């Protein structure tokens, strides 16, 4: 390796270890890999190792890294006008809002911009509370909605535990998940019906007049790509209508092509009252998120000021990146490509792996969004590592991840699962390359079975 490259690597590592405080980590126990660059579906380090990225960063580089049209749009906007206060009207923001509103389901035609997903959730909940005059929020176990104080309390996964304030007005309930059914169901239809009954019971016993919102990920993502059964989201919509509750769909992870649709809600033809987005809206090139708002909720704030705002709301650079991302997705049929690569290559390929690898308990997914549920025992479905496992208990999954990395694949692993979330632009050859690595790495988890 050239001396300059080695020196650059060491400088990056020293700065990081000396001064960067990382998310979700015990600071002394981590050693982040210095990355030299990334392009399309790949990233590489300073030592010449190249990795096919099956994580899309944190599930957001839906167009892959360094898409030239998005890079050019950011450069052009930077040359024209880097920033402007949110109170003015500015071209890139107006255009991003129009393009997003055009694609959201139903009449969610007004867009409140934030810097990311958690702020979108915070503002959606604030809008719902002010609109209904009610305090409580219902959300599911097995969900993630962000790490600010409101969003983390709404979250239903172990990331909440370290910051939990008890309730913060949140009540958790069980969503549908047939493979580990909380309702002892044996079919999707049974799971759907029982999950809806459980939700209605929760509403009644909590007191419907105290519930402002039900917040759901359309497809719970980081909790395991839990594709809901047919009829579930429509059933939740009906319950919200019956009890005057605001229905919030969190599409932060699944929006903008991830499931092979602009928004995952389209798969089930459901329209929420508020829809949160971030990540894929501009492929994550500049931080951006937001809330798409129904006419009824927008009307609540027609003559009464909305008591919320952000310095960088609708930042011109982030919005220019959104305009370029959405336009490129439309021009290059990225949404259709994501659906097709899922139907024709990733889905069949992953099911074929499950057929040969006993440590795969279930395959779930849509588009470029999949999960393999790793188990110790297919009969009992005992997870490869226990729920909430951390540290040394994660050794089996870490061994699988290391086997992937040694073979040039950067995997997304979380608890007893590996998620497959490559860019929506992934080519067929890249998909097959990734599947071949997973095939080899799964022999590591097969060897750990009871
Ligand atoms: N909602 C969902 C469904 C997410 O997956 C995430 C992040 O992964 C968030 C909200 C929080 O987004 P952010 O990290 O941009 O605050």
């Amino acid at each position: 390796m050239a001396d300059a490259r080695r020196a650059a690597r060491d400088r990056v590592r020293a700065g990081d270890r000396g001064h960067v405080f990382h998310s979700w980590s015990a600071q002394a126990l981590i050693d982040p890999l210095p990355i030299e660059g990334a392009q399309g579906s790949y990233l590489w380090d300073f030592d010449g190792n190249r990795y096919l990225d099956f994580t899309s960063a944190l599930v957001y580089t839906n167009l892959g890294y360094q898409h030239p049209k998005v890079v050019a749009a950011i450069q052009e906007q930077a040359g024209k006008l880097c920033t402007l206060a949110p109170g003015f009207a500015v071209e890139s923001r107006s255009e991003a809002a129009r393009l997003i509103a055009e694609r959201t389901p139903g009449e969610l035609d007004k867009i409140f911009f934030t810097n990311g997903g958690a702020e979108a959730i915070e503002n959606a909940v604030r809008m719902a509370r002010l609109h209904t005059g009610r305090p409580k929020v219902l959300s599911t176990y097995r969900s993630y909605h962000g790490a600010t104080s409101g969003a983390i309390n709404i979250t239903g996964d172990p990331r909440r535990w370290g910051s939990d304030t008890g309730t913060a007005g949140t009540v958790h309930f069980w969503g549908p998940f047939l493979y580990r059914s909380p309702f002892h169901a044996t079919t999707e239809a049974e799971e759907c019906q029982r999950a809806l009954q459980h939700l209605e019971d929760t509403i009644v016993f909590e007191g419907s007049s105290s519930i402002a919102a039900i917040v759901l990920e359309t497809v719970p993502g980081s909790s395991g790509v839990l594709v809901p059964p047919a009829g579930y989201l429509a059933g939740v919509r009906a319950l919200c209508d019956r009890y005057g509750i605001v229905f919030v769909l969190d599409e932060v992870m699944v929006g903008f092509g991830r499931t092979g649709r602009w928004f995952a809600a389209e798969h089930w033809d459901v329209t929420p009252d508020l829809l949160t987005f971030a990540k894929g809206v501009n492929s994550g090139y500049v931080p951006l998120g937001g809330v798409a708002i129904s006419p009824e909720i927008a009307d609540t704030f027609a003559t009464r000021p909305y008591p919320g705002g952000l310095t960088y709301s609708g930042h011109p650079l982030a919005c220019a990146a959104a305009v370029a991302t959405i336009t490129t997705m439309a021009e290059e049929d990225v949404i259709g490509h994501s659906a097709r690569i899922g139907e024709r290559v990733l889905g069949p390929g992953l099911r074929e792996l499950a057929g040969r690898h006993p440590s795969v308990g279930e395959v779930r997914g849509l588009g470029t969004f999949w999960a393999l549920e790793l188990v110790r025992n297919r009969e009992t479905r005992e997870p490869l590592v226990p729920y909430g496992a951390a540290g040394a208990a994660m050794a089996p999954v870490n061994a699988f991840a290391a086997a992937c990395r040694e073979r040039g694949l950067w995997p997304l692993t979380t608890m007893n699962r590996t998620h497959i979330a490559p860019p929506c632009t992934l080519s067929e050859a890249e998909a097959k390359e990734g599947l071949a690595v997973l095939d080899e790495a799964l022999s590591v988890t097969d060897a750990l079975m009871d």
Side-chain angles (χ1 to χ4, degrees):
M1 185 174 35
D3 284 350
R5 219 172 159 199
R6 192 177 301 121
R9 178 199 64 191
D10 293 346
R11 203 170 49 244
V12 171
R13 176 168 277 139
D16 183 274
R17 291 299 61 220
H19 306 290
V20 178
F21 192 97
H22 282 265
S23 316
W24 306 114
S25 300
Q27 304 302 311
L29 303 183
I30 56 170
D31 185 18
L33 179 67
I35 291 295
E36 186 177 49
Q39 182 73 50
S41 303
Y42 293 88
L43 46 95
W44 56 89
D45 64 20
F46 289 88
D47 297 316
N49 300 305
R50 193 164 170 264
Y51 301 98
L52 175 60
D53 183 9
F54 262 27
T55 72
S56 293
L58 291 180
V59 197
Y60 63 73
T61 51
N62 290 11
L63 286 181
Y65 294 101
Q66 297 298 108
H67 193 293
K69 290 184 187 167
V70 185
V71 172
I74 294 169
Q75 286 168 336
E76 195 190 322
Q77 182 67 42
K80 217 160 49 181
L81 184 64
C82 278
T83 194
L84 191 71
F88 291 107
V90 60
E91 188 181 4
S92 67
R93 187 186 302 139
S94 300
E95 186 60 359
R98 187 184 71 78
L99 290 172
I100 295 164
E102 236 173 53
R103 285 163 177 80
T104 47
E107 294 177 273
L108 305 179
D109 284 345
K110 289 268 202 275
I111 310 297
F112 177 76
F113 284 112
T114 65
N115 302 301
E119 287 175 352
I121 288 290
E122 297 286 352
N123 282 282
V125 166
R126 180 178 297 163
M127 287 175 195
R129 285 182 168 144
L130 292 165
H131 179 71
T132 59
R134 301 172 178 181
K136 272 193 277 196
V137 176
L138 301 194
S139 64
T140 59
Y141 293 111
R142 301 192 199 278
S143 67
Y144 181 71
H145 296 290
T148 51
S149 62
I152 200 72
N153 272 274
I154 292 168
T155 287
D157 87 5
R159 281 173 285 185
R160 185 181 83 238
W161 300 342
S163 309
D164 208 336
T165 54
T167 73
T170 303
V171 175
H172 288 94
F173 65 97
W174 293 102
F177 179 24
L178 183 60
Y179 186 73
R180 301 194 182 283
S181 173
F183 311 111
H184 309 287
T186 54
T187 65
E188 290 281 355
E190 216 171 51
E191 182 73 358
C192 179
Q193 187 270 323
R194 293 180 187 183
L196 287 170
Q197 185 60 55
H198 160 70
L199 175 55
E200 182 156 22
D201 290 346
T202 307
I203 292 169
V204 170
F205 277 73
E206 284 295 330
S208 59
S209 62
S210 70
I211 301 168
I214 296 176
V215 180
L216 290 183
E217 291 178 72
T218 312
V219 178
S222 46
S223 302
V225 190
L226 309 177
V227 181
Y232 180 70
L233 293 172
V236 177
R237 174 73 273 179
L239 288 173
C240 286
D241 291 342
R242 186 172 315 146
Y243 293 103
I245 295 169
V246 171
F247 187 15
V248 181
L249 277 180
D250 182 347
E251 294 246 359
V252 165
M253 190 173 271
V254 292
F256 298 95
R258 181 55 53 196
T259 71
R261 297 283 192 280
W262 282 102
F263 292 98
E266 290 168 41
H267 289 285
W268 298 280
D269 204 15
V270 170
T271 303
D273 302 302
L274 295 171
L275 181 150
T276 56
F277 63 87
K279 296 190 188 262
V281 62
N282 63 6
S283 243
Y285 286 19
V286 185
L288 184 69
V291 188
I293 308 165
S294 71
E296 295 73 27
I297 297 178
D299 268 1
T300 295
F301 305 105
T303 53
R304 155 188 178 188
Y306 174 61
L310 298 153
T311 294
Y312 302 127
S313 178
H315 194 285
L317 274 186
C319 286
V323 171
T325 295
I326 295 167
T327 309
T328 301
M329 285 182 166
E331 283 170 2
E332 299 181 4
D333 189 24
V334 171
I335 312 296
H337 177 78
S338 172
R340 285 188 297 276
I341 200 104
E343 272 159 28
R344 296 180 191 166
V345 186
L346 289 174
L350 292 168
R351 285 188 205 101
E352 195 269 331
L353 290 184
R356 284 188 294 106
H357 291 282
S359 57
V360 179
E362 191 178 53
V363 179
R364 300 183 287 270
L366 287 163
T368 39
F369 198 42
W370 295 82
L372 298 182
E373 182 94 11
L374 302 175
V375 292
R376 273 194 189 284
N377 183 314
R378 266 198 176 171
E379 294 295 304
T380 63
R381 302 185 177 183
E382 183 190 344
L384 185 64
V385 296
Y387 187 79
M394 281 297 283
V397 176
N398 293 342
F400 164 82
C404 290
R405 288 194 291 267
E406 278 158 23
R407 292 164 176 78
L409 178 79
W410 201 266
L412 198 174
T413 53
T414 174
M415 283 194 262
N416 69 311
R417 301 178 303 270
T418 187
H419 293 187
I420 291 91
C424 303
T425 48
L426 183 83
S427 72
E428 185 168 336
E430 290 167 346
K432 288 185 170 158
E433 178 187 328
L435 288 166
V437 173
L438 292 179
D439 191 8
E440 289 184 24
L442 284 168
S443 58
V444 171
T445 46
D446 287 346
L448 296 167
M449 298 200 56
D450 291 339

